[in-house]
Amino acid sequence: MSLREYQRKRNFKSTREPKPDAAVPEGSRTLFVVQLHHARRRHFDFRLQVGNALKSWAVPKGPSYNPHTKRLAVEVEDHPVAYADFEGEIEEGYGKGHVDQFDRGVWSTDGDPMAQLKKGHLRFELFGTRLKGGWHLVRSGRKERQQPWFLIKDDDAFASDVEADDLLDTKMRESTRKAAKSESARIAAKKSTARVRKAPAARKLGKTSLIHQAKALPNAKKAAASAEFFAPALTQLRLEPPPGDNWIHEVKWDGYRILATIAKGKVALWSRNALRWDDKVPDILQAVDALGLDSARLDGELIATDSQGRSDFNALQKTLSGEAQHPLVYVLFDLPYFEGYDLARTPLLERKALLERMLGHGRRHLAFSSHTQGDGVEAMQRAMDFKLEGIVSKRIDSGYHSGRGGDWIKVKRLEGDEFAVVGYTPPKGSRNGFGSLLLAKPDPDHRDGWLFAGRVGTGFTDKSLAQTAALVTKNASRKTPPNLRNIDPLLRDAWWVQPSLVVEVNYRGMGNNSLLRQPSLKTLRMDKTPNDLRNADRSPAKKASKPAKKAPTKTARTRSTSNDADTSLVTITHPDRVVFPGDNITKQDVADYYSSIMQWFLPSVLGRPLSIIRCPEGAEKTCFFQKHPVQGLHRVGFVRLKEEKGSQAIYIYAKDANSVMELVQFGTLEFHLWGSMADNPDKADRVVFDLDPAPKVGWKRVVAAARLLRTWLDRIGLASFLRTTGGKGLHVVVPLNPGCPWSQVKDFSHAVASTMASAYPDEFIDTASKVKRSGKIFVDYLRNSRGATSIANYSLRARKGAPVAVPLRWEELAKIERGDAFNIHTLPKRLARLRKDPWEGIDTIEQSLDTALETLHKQQ
C-alpha cells in the first residue's frame, strides 16, 4: 500500500515519527495498535496491519465494548508498520500533540481483508490486552472528504458496557488531564477519571461438575499442578492402521504440536521441543484462558483450515509469518491432568470424554479432535477420499505416556501410480544390479515426450531387484533420451534406456519440483507397456498444429543425489512470484537453484551460525538482514550464543538441506556465515580478506591484489582459497585447524591489511572511509570478528542478474573476467563439468596462526 500521503503530510526533520521506508518486523503476526492521540482534538487512532502498512482510522470517542454502540471512525492515511512502536510528543506540524499506546496485539479475519474493506464491511478479531473478541468496521453511506466508518463490537463473550476511557491507565489519564484545554477535552478528561475498570473477560465455563467427574475417573490420582513443560506422547509410523475394536482413529492434523499447561490460573503454551509459544499465538492463549481453569494439561495440534475445513499447513505458516491472516484453531485430543487430578493412567476414552464435555460447543479457536472406534481400514479410506494427511490410531485403554510407546500409531496417506522406467543409477556398496530406477510420466505437452518424475530405490526384494536389473540394463546408454524433459542435471552417473518397463510406485505426494516424495516400489507391471500410460484417465497429450518449441530450460529442477540433500519436506509457496524482475526469475527458480546445487552448497554451511538476507517481495524491494529466529521456522537449528556486548541471543544455523529450503521458502536469497561453528563459537576456523575495489578500479588490479595476498600468506606457511563475491571483488580465505580465538584472528587480519596498505599505499587502503578509498582497493579485515559474517560459497546475491559467489581454484583466476562472472543460470552448467569442489580438502588442512606468526618472526 502507498504511504505517499503519510510522507506528504510530515516533515521528518522536525518529527520523530518513523519514515515511510521503515522496515516491517520480520516474521511476526499481523498486528493492530490503538494510540491515544492528544492532538487539536483528542481521539483514538485505530490501526490494523494489512501487508506492509497500517490501515488507520481516527475514533474520537474510542472503542466501545457495547455491541449496540456505533463509534465513528474516520479513515485517515495509511501509516508505516513501524508507527506501532511510536509514543511521545509530536512537537510540530501535522498531528502535533502527545501520543500514548492504548493497546497492541495481533488480529485476524476470515478471508481477504482488502476485499472486505473494498465491500465496506470488515469482520475481525482482536487479541490485545484491553481489546479482545470480535469487531466490525462498517463503511458509512455518507460521501465526505475523509471516509467515515463505524467501529462496532461484536455481540460475543466479551461484550459489555465498558468504554475506552474506562480502561485508561494512570499514565494515559495524566496525559488526558494535561491536554484538557478545550471544553470537549475537559469533558473527556473528567469522564476518563470517573472510574477505572478492567477489560472484559470471556464468560467462563462451569467446572464444578467436571471436577467431580474427573475425580471419579478410573485411576485418577490427586496431584499438585505444575507450570513446567511436560514431554508429549509421540506416534510410531506404520504403513497400515491396526485392526480391532480396541483402537480409535483420529484425523492426523497437519499443523504444529502444542502443549498447554495451566497452573494457578496462568496459561503457558509450549512447542513439542519445550519452546514457549505464548507470544506467537495470543489468540490461542486467550481461548485457553477463557476456559477459566485453575490447573490443567492439554495436548493438541495448532492448525489453520482451508475453505473445505481441512488443516492447511501452508496457511498456518503464512499466518504465523505475517503473510496471511487465517484464523487459527487449537485442536485438542488429550487431557492428562485436570483441576488437581493426574489422569495419565486413566483410559484414553475416559480422558477424551471429559475433554469433550469441558470444551462444550461453539468455543472459537478451540476444537475437539473427534474419533471413530474400530475399522481402521475404513477410517484410513475416508482420509484418502478427503485427501487428509492420514490418521492417528490410539489404544482405547492406554494411559498418557511420554515418548513413543506404541500406543499411538500414525498412518500417512499413500498415493500410487504407474511410471515408465527411463534409466537407472549404478549400485553402491553391497547392492547388485542398480542403485535406483529413474522414472518418467507422459508429457502432456508433447505427444511422444516424457517428464522425469524422480527415482525409486526402495521396496525391492532380492528377487525383484535381480528380475528388474535383467530387464532394465539391456541396451543402456550414457546418452540422455531426446524426448525426456525435466532431467536432474546432477545425474552425471546415470544410465538411460528407452521406455519399455512399467512399475507401480507408492509415494507420499509430490515435492517442490513435481518429483515423487518418499517413493517405494509396489510391483512390476509386466502386463503393461509404457504406451498404456497414455490412456484416457490421464491428461491427453496436446496435439500441436505447429512444430513443438523446445521447452525453456529451468535451472536445476531436481534434488541433489545425496540422501542428505533431500528437500522434499519443504513446500515452496507462491512459486510464480517474480524475485528478480529484470531477469524474470521466480521464487521457484530460486528454490530449484538451491535444490540443484545442494550437494555443493551444503557442506560449507552446515553447523555455522547464519545471517541471511530475505527479500519476500523480490530483490528490488525491501530486503531484511536476519540472524535470529522468526515464527514459523522449524527445520533450522537454534543455538544460544553470547554477543559482543555480553548479552545472549538465539541464532539460526542449517542442520540439513531442509533447513536451507525452509529459509528459501521464507524468501531468503543470500546466506552469510560465521567464521566459526555453532558448537565452538569462540574459536575462528576461517580468516576472510575481502578485496573490495573502489569504483573505476579495474578487474585486473583486483586479480593482482589477490595473487599478491596469496604470495604473502604462502611465505608464512598459510594456504589460502579463492572466491568470487558475486559483486565487484574477491575473497581470499584462510582455513585454521585448530581454530584460534577471535581476538587473535582480528589482530592478525588487521595487521595483514595494514601491511599491504603501508607497502603499497597507492594500491591498497585498510580503512572503510569512502572519501579516502578513491582509486584504491579496500582490504576489508572487519569480517574477522565474533559475529561478523561473509557470503557463503554458491550463495545467490540479491542483485540484478542473480549473480552467485563462487569458489575457484587459483589456476582459474586468469580466466575470470569479473566478480559476478557466474549467475543462477550459468553456475549449474559449471558444476556439471566439475569433478570435485575447488575447495575440496579445506577442512583437512592443518595450519594455525601460532605457527604462521612463528614463521614470520624467523623471517624478520
Side-chain angles (χ1 to χ4, degrees):
M1 277 165 282
S2 174
L3 295 171
R4 285 179 294 195
E5 185 67 11
Y6 172 86
Q7 185 170 18
R8 185 186 67 82
K9 291 183 174 181
R10 288 162 177 82
N11 180 358
F12 293 102
K13 293 182 179 179
S14 61
T15 181
R16 296 189 300 106
E17 296 169 283
K19 294 182 179 180
D21 58 355
V24 177
E26 299 175 0
S28 57
R29 299 279 300 276
T30 50
L31 60 86
F32 84 90
V33 64
V34 179
Q35 290 156 320
L36 178 57
H37 190 176
H38 299 285
R40 184 166 57 89
R41 288 194 177 95
R42 172 186 180 270
H43 62 275
F44 291 78
D45 287 314
F46 186 85
R47 312 190 196 278
L48 302 175
Q49 181 187 353
V50 181
N52 61 353
L54 296 172
K55 301 295 292 183
S56 300
W57 293 261
V59 185
K61 295 184 178 180
S64 171
Y65 267 99
N66 190 335
H68 304 293
T69 299
K70 296 181 180 180
R71 287 290 192 237
L72 177 65
V74 180
E75 187 173 3
V76 297
E77 72 276 8
D78 294 348
H79 284 53
V81 175
Y83 207 95
D85 296 322
F86 182 73
E87 280 191 292
E89 294 295 328
I90 302 175
E91 284 87 0
E92 298 293 340
Y94 179 75
K96 178 181 178 182
H98 185 79
V99 176
D100 287 317
Q101 189 170 100
F102 175 78
D103 200 11
R104 177 175 175 156
V106 303
W107 74 286
S108 69
T109 180
D110 291 309
D112 183 350
M114 288 303 295
Q116 294 182 65
L117 288 170
K118 186 176 181 180
K119 289 183 178 180
H121 188 177
L122 175 64
R123 300 173 177 86
F124 58 98
E125 282 189 276
L126 299 179
F127 306 97
T129 303
R130 292 180 169 85
L131 300 181
K132 304 175 183 180
W135 298 76
H136 302 258
L137 270 167
V138 181
R139 187 167 54 219
S140 168
R142 300 200 308 267
K143 300 295 183 182
E144 298 184 14
R145 185 175 61 84
Q146 288 182 295
Q147 179 63 54
W149 294 66
F150 293 107
L151 179 63
I152 308 169
K153 180 71 185 74
D154 192 32
D155 192 3
D156 59 13
F158 291 97
S160 74
D161 62 346
V162 173
E163 303 289 339
D165 280 329
D166 299 332
L167 303 176
L168 302 184
D169 59 21
T170 303
K171 176 185 174 184
M172 287 183 277
R173 292 176 186 278
E174 181 62 20
S175 297
T176 299
R177 186 188 63 78
K178 288 181 178 179
K181 297 177 181 178
S182 67
E183 179 63 23
S184 60
R186 283 194 293 272
I187 294 172
K190 183 177 180 181
K191 186 176 180 181
S192 70
T193 56
R195 55 180 175 172
V196 179
R197 302 178 69 176
K198 292 183 179 180
R203 292 188 287 270
K204 311 293 185 180
L205 60 81
K207 59 184 180 181
T208 304
S209 63
L210 291 173
I211 295 174
H212 289 304
Q213 293 171 35
K215 181 179 179 180
L217 290 177
N219 301 323
K221 181 181 178 181
K222 189 73 174 175
S226 173
E228 298 300 316
F229 168 80
F230 64 98
L234 301 176
T235 60
Q236 292 183 350
L237 178 64
R238 302 279 179 85
L239 293 178
E240 296 179 352
D245 291 335
N246 61 329
W247 293 85
I248 63 169
H249 311 282
E250 302 173 347
V251 169
K252 184 183 181 300
W253 302 102
D254 195 8
Y256 292 134
R257 186 78 170 271
I258 294 293
L259 306 162
T261 60
I262 308 174
K264 297 182 179 179
K266 185 173 179 57
V267 179
L269 302 179
W270 308 82
S271 69
R272 63 179 291 171
N273 53 355
L275 297 177
R276 289 291 289 269
W277 269 54
D278 301 6
D279 295 335
K280 296 177 186 287
V281 283
D283 32 6
I284 303 304
L285 188 76
Q286 288 186 14
V288 174
D289 182 66
L291 292 172
L293 301 177
D294 184 68
S295 61
R297 286 183 172 180
L298 307 172
D299 193 354
E301 192 92 353
L302 177 69
I303 67 168
T305 57
D306 62 17
S307 58
Q308 297 178 319
R310 297 175 299 194
S311 54
D312 185 336
F313 189 73
N314 285 336
L316 177 60
Q317 284 190 312
K318 289 179 183 178
T319 299
L320 292 177
S321 64
E323 295 181 56
Q325 293 169 299
H326 299 280
L328 303 182
V329 179
Y330 186 24
V331 183
L332 293 163
F333 45 69
D334 215 323
L335 182 65
Y337 181 93
F338 181 75
E339 293 294 3
Y341 291 93
D342 183 354
L343 308 180
R345 297 183 181 180
T346 297
L348 172 64
L349 277 185
E350 302 280 3
R351 297 198 307 272
K352 288 203 68 177
L354 180 64
L355 174 63
E356 185 174 19
R357 289 192 293 272
M358 182 194 76
L359 291 176
H361 301 285
R363 289 195 171 272
R364 189 165 172 81
H365 300 291
L366 298 180
F368 175 72
S369 182
S370 58
H371 59 264
T372 59
Q373 186 171 347
D375 203 345
V377 174
E378 181 182 352
M380 189 62 199
Q381 186 58 53
R382 285 199 298 273
M384 295 280 288
D385 293 341
F386 287 99
K387 295 189 178 299
L388 301 176
E389 183 75 5
I391 62 173
V392 175
S393 304
K394 302 176 182 178
R395 293 186 191 275
I396 61 174
D397 58 351
S398 63
Y400 189 93
H401 307 290
S402 300
R404 305 183 194 278
D407 290 334
W408 290 17
I409 292 172
K410 65 180 175 183
V411 185
K412 292 185 176 181
R413 174 167 58 94
L414 277 176
E415 298 179 19
D417 206 347
E418 295 162 354
F419 299 87
V421 176
V422 293
Y424 63 93
T425 60
K428 294 182 179 180
S430 61
R431 184 159 178 156
N432 296 317
F434 58 86
S436 60
L437 297 180
L438 306 179
L439 308 178
K441 56 186 178 181
D443 187 342
D445 296 321
H446 296 82
R447 178 180 293 277
D448 298 318
W450 296 90
L451 288 175
F452 183 75
R455 65 185 77 187
V456 60
T458 60
F460 294 87
T461 63
D462 290 343
K463 182 178 179 180
S464 65
L465 185 65
Q467 180 186 9
T468 307
L471 294 170
V472 79
T473 55
K474 293 179 180 179
N475 302 318
S477 169
R478 289 287 192 181
K479 188 175 181 180
T480 305
N483 58 345
L484 179 62
R485 293 198 297 135
N486 207 26
I487 302 173
D488 184 346
L490 296 179
L491 282 171
R492 297 188 297 275
D493 58 349
W495 289 85
W496 301 98
V497 298
Q498 288 298 318
S500 60
L501 180 66
V502 175
V503 294
E504 187 172 354
V505 172
N506 290 327
Y507 57 97
R508 301 187 189 278
M510 307 299 288
N512 297 336
N513 307 305
S514 298
L515 302 181
L516 301 177
R517 290 181 58 187
Q518 302 177 32
S520 177
L521 179 77
K522 182 177 180 181
T523 185
L524 301 179
R525 294 303 303 260
M526 303 302 296
D527 58 328
K528 290 192 175 185
T529 68
N531 285 334
D532 292 330
L533 302 183
R534 304 182 187 276
N535 56 30
D537 64 352
R538 295 172 177 267
S539 300
K542 296 178 182 178
K543 190 173 182 178
S545 57
K546 298 181 181 179
K549 296 180 180 180
K550 186 177 180 180
T553 302
K554 280 270 187 179
T555 303
R557 295 192 61 84
T558 54
R559 299 190 297 273
S560 166
T561 55
S562 167
N563 289 335
D564 291 336
D566 177 25
T567 59
S568 60
L569 298 180
V570 177
T571 299
I572 301 298
T573 61
H574 304 298
D576 298 327
R577 178 181 292 158
V578 177
V579 179
F580 293 90
D583 304 277
N584 199 31
I585 296 171
T586 66
K587 185 179 180 183
Q588 184 65 59
D589 292 327
V590 171
D592 291 343
Y593 166 78
Y594 277 112
S595 181
S596 72
I597 57 102
M598 191 64 71
Q599 70 174 27
W600 305 86
F601 177 73
L602 199 57
S604 66
V605 302
L606 282 178
R608 291 186 184 273
L610 286 172
S611 291
I612 56 176
I613 292 182
R614 293 173 53 209
C615 304
E617 297 182 358
E620 294 185 3
K621 295 188 178 179
T622 303
C623 295
F624 310 107
F625 192 79
Q626 177 190 323
K627 56 186 177 180
H628 303 306
V630 296
Q631 292 177 351
L633 287 177
H634 297 279
R635 302 195 184 281
V636 301
F638 302 129
V639 59
R640 185 179 295 277
L641 299 176
K642 182 184 292 185
E643 298 184 305
E644 282 193 308
K645 295 181 179 179
S647 60
Q648 290 192 336
I650 303 296
Y651 284 77
I652 58 175
Y653 67 91
K655 300 189 296 183
D656 52 26
N658 281 300
S659 298
V660 174
M661 296 309 295
E662 182 177 51
L663 292 172
V664 171
Q665 157 61 13
F666 271 62
T668 300
L669 294 182
E670 297 189 11
F671 292 80
H672 297 253
L673 309 175
W674 277 40
S676 60
M677 304 300 291
D679 58 1
N680 192 14
D682 296 325
K683 290 293 182 72
D685 62 0
R686 294 284 189 272
V687 186
V688 179
F689 296 98
D690 181 4
L691 301 177
D692 184 10
K696 299 182 180 180
V697 172
W699 175 249
K700 290 183 179 180
R701 288 177 58 190
V702 180
V703 170
R707 288 172 172 160
L708 178 64
L709 178 56
R710 181 196 188 193
T711 300
W712 194 89
L713 293 169
D714 281 343
R715 288 174 180 169
I716 58 173
L718 291 176
S720 59
F721 292 76
L722 184 67
R723 171 171 61 215
T724 67
T725 63
K728 298 180 296 181
L730 289 168
H731 283 175
V732 176
V733 180
V734 178
L736 300 177
N737 183 20
C740 297
W742 280 109
S743 58
Q744 185 179 6
V745 170
K746 187 174 183 179
D747 291 343
F748 169 76
S749 59
H750 190 183
V752 171
S754 298
T755 299
M756 294 184 70
S758 299
Y760 306 93
D762 294 332
E763 195 71 21
F764 303 112
I765 188 170
D766 63 344
T767 62
S769 171
K770 291 186 177 181
V771 176
K772 298 178 180 180
R773 286 175 57 184
S774 179
K776 298 181 181 181
I777 297 173
F778 173 36
V779 184
D780 185 356
Y781 64 91
L782 299 175
R783 302 181 185 278
N784 301 296
S785 58
R786 197 179 190 281
T789 60
S790 59
I791 193 70
N793 289 353
Y794 307 111
S795 172
L796 286 172
R797 304 307 300 265
R799 301 172 182 177
K800 184 178 180 180
V804 180
V806 181
L808 303 173
R809 300 190 312 275
W810 279 103
E811 297 77 17
E812 296 181 281
L813 185 54
K815 302 176 183 179
I816 303 300
E817 298 180 351
R818 58 186 188 275
D820 58 355
F822 298 97
N823 60 40
I824 191 173
H825 300 299
T826 60
L827 180 67
K829 298 175 184 177
R830 165 183 165 82
L831 296 181
R833 298 191 300 266
L834 291 181
R835 294 185 178 181
K836 63 179 182 179
D837 193 291
W839 282 20
E840 184 172 313
I842 189 172
D843 294 319
T844 60
I845 293 177
E846 295 185 1
Q847 58 184 22
S848 72
L849 293 187
D850 291 336
T851 305
L853 292 174
E854 287 179 10
T855 303
L856 180 61
H857 291 319
K858 290 178 181 178
Q859 294 176 355
Q860 291 176 342

